[in-house]
């Protein structure tokens, strides 16, 4: 088990190194493009151009440029965006990360609880009207784009029915830190949580139902029924436990993707100053250092999530421990 864990950690470090090299080459070593002009921004003065060229080592070989860029990004954390009034990009990401973390964690709790309940109930009542209704609701959730659902939620809660008792508590777009006012934090995020969770509830409930239905014919499930265990106990303690491997895999990847900026549309619609919205603004302004930093931030979360999922595989399924 220890060797499998160490092997996976080594693979993670190699992948992160490869991603950092690839991101650097795409942004700063493209033939025919001057990275100095990209970082300095539009209409930069000759003095600024010379400062950027010297600071980032663009007059030196590529390995030196790569080392300088990674040092500024991960060690000294003084990577500067000249297109954004000389602001340092790492503090901006650190400031935006708690917003995205709050949004994604709250949404994940909702989609996990609701999808497990829907998927388990649909599998337990396979073929009934309850099963068909839950499948239809899941399909509707998958089909609704998050930006459209968010705009509809804003229209209902902030415009049409904001003066009613049902939505009078809903605050305007924006974010309140948890440490500043927990109740205001909850009020600002509860509707974005639900909007972001809708699609994942539909996907996860359908996948869980399909796994549970398929597992019902496995030998260990038939053995459990032959022993006289109740259907609920068989479904929950045997079916759900076995389906957890697929569920954990999907959850780890989706959670990391959202933390890395996948919640961009939700953040933009609800005015949340998270990493996704920061990336959107960087793309709009062609802010190269900030774009590179957010890309590395996102890639790091996804790769680390893959590593965590593989480690959980080792804990959940002993057969994986001896795998190569």
């Amino acid at each position: 088990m220890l060797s499998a864990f160490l092997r996976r950690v080594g693979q993670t470090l190699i992948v992160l190194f490869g991603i950092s090299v690839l991101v650097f080459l795409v942004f700063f070593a493209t033939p025919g493009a001057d990275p100095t002009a990209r970082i300095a921004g539009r209409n930069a003065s000759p003095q600024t151009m010379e400062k950027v060229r010297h600071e980032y080592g663009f007059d030196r070989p590529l390995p030196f440029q790569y080392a300088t860029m990674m040092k500024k990004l991960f060690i000294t954390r003084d990577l500067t965006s000249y297109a954004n009034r000389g602001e340092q990009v790492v503090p901006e990401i650190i400031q935006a990360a708690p917003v995205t973390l709050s949004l994604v964690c709250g949404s994940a709790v909702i989609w996990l609880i609701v999808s497990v309940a829907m998927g388990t109930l649909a599998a337990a009542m396979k073929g009934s009207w309850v099963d068909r209704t839950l499948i239809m609701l899941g399909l509707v959730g998958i089909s609704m784009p998050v930006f459209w659902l968010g705009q509809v939620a804003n229209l209902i809660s902030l415009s049409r029915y904001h003066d009613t008792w049902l939505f009078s508590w809903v605050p305007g777009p924006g974010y309140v830190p948890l440490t500043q006012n927990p109740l205001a934090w909850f009020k600002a995020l509860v509707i974005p949580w639900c909007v972001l969770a809708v699609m994942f509830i539909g996907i996860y409930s359908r996948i869980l139902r399909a796994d549970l239905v398929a597992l019902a014919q496995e030998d260990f499930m038939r053995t459990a029924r032959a022993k006289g265990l109740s259907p609920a106990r068989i479904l929950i303690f045997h079916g759900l436990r076995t389906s957890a491997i697929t569920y954990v895999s999907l959850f780890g990847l989706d959670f990391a993707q959202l933390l890395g900026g996948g919640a961009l549309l939700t953040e933009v619609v609800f005015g949340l100053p998270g990493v996704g919205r920061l990336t959107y603004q960087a793309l709009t302004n062609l802010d190269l250092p900030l774009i590179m930093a957010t890309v590395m931030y996102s890639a790091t979360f996804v790769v680390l999530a893959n590593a965590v999922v593989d480690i959980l595989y080792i804990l959940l399924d002993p057969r994986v421990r001896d795998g190569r």
Side-chain angles (χ1 to χ4, degrees):
M1 181 174 178
L2 180 60
S3 62
F5 173 79
L6 294 176
R7 184 169 59 250
R8 190 64 185 88
V9 171
Q11 293 172 352
T12 300
L13 294 176
I14 294 173
V15 171
L16 285 175
F17 172 74
I19 291 175
S20 67
V21 172
L22 181 61
V23 170
F24 170 78
L25 293 176
V26 168
F27 283 114
F28 297 101
T30 306
D34 184 8
T36 304
R38 291 182 174 184
I39 293 180
R42 299 185 182 95
N43 304 319
S45 64
Q47 293 80 5
T48 303
M49 295 279 287
E50 183 60 30
K51 179 182 179 182
V52 170
R53 185 176 291 107
H54 176 74
E55 181 180 349
Y56 287 88
F58 290 136
D59 51 354
R60 306 285 293 275
L62 275 179
F64 181 85
Q65 297 178 29
Y66 168 78
T68 301
M69 193 66 62
M70 294 303 111
K71 177 184 176 182
K72 285 181 170 294
L73 189 57
F74 293 107
I75 300 177
T76 60
R77 298 191 295 183
D78 59 351
L79 186 63
T80 302
S81 168
Y82 288 90
N84 189 20
R85 303 181 304 278
E87 296 287 339
Q88 294 184 355
V89 302
V90 175
E92 286 190 77
I93 295 177
I94 293 176
Q95 184 178 359
V99 182
T100 300
L101 184 64
S102 297
L103 172 64
V104 175
C105 287
S107 174
V109 170
I110 293 174
W111 97 56
L112 283 177
I113 294 175
V114 178
S115 64
V116 168
M118 286 180 58
T120 305
L121 183 60
M125 306 187 71
K126 184 183 68 172
S128 68
W129 67 269
V130 175
D131 179 28
R132 291 191 292 271
T133 301
L134 292 176
I135 291 176
M136 182 187 67
L137 290 176
L139 183 60
V140 170
I142 297 172
S143 303
M144 289 189 295
V146 66
F147 62 88
W148 176 85
L149 185 59
Q151 291 286 14
V152 171
N154 280 336
L155 178 65
I156 293 174
S157 63
L158 295 177
S159 179
R160 295 289 180 86
Y161 301 103
H162 184 64
D163 295 332
T164 64
W165 65 270
L166 189 59
F167 296 109
S168 60
W169 57 269
V170 178
Y175 175 76
V176 178
L178 174 63
T179 54
Q180 179 179 325
N181 189 329
L183 181 59
W185 171 83
F186 177 82
K187 290 180 178 180
L189 288 174
V190 62
I191 293 181
W193 285 343
C194 296
V195 168
L196 184 59
V198 165
M199 180 183 68
F200 294 100
I201 290 173
I203 295 173
Y204 279 61
S205 62
R206 289 170 65 88
I207 291 175
L208 181 61
R209 176 197 177 276
D211 279 352
L212 291 175
V213 170
L215 286 172
Q217 305 304 319
E218 294 290 333
D219 291 341
F220 72 93
M221 296 287 277
R222 288 199 292 265
T223 301
R225 287 194 291 269
K227 289 181 177 179
L229 297 179
S230 65
R233 182 180 179 85
I234 294 172
L235 188 64
I236 295 174
F237 290 97
H238 294 273
L240 280 180
R241 184 177 179 181
T242 306
S243 300
I245 295 178
T246 303
Y247 209 83
V248 165
S249 176
L250 291 174
F251 176 77
L253 295 178
D254 286 333
F255 186 81
Q257 184 263 341
L258 290 175
L259 278 180
L264 184 153
L265 293 176
T266 307
E267 292 177 0
V268 171
V269 169
F270 290 98
L272 301 174
V275 176
R277 190 181 181 194
L278 191 65
T279 305
Y280 172 77
Q281 293 172 343
L283 291 170
T284 303
N285 299 325
L286 295 178
D287 190 345
L288 191 59
L290 186 54
I291 294 173
M292 190 195 74
T294 53
V295 168
M296 284 299 304
Y297 165 90
S298 176
T300 300
F301 264 113
V302 173
V303 172
L304 291 179
N306 271 288
V308 171
V309 167
D310 286 347
I311 293 171
L312 289 176
Y313 275 170
I314 296 173
L315 298 176
L316 291 173
D317 191 349
R319 296 171 299 179
V320 182
R321 299 173 188 174
D322 299 326
R324 300 296 179 187

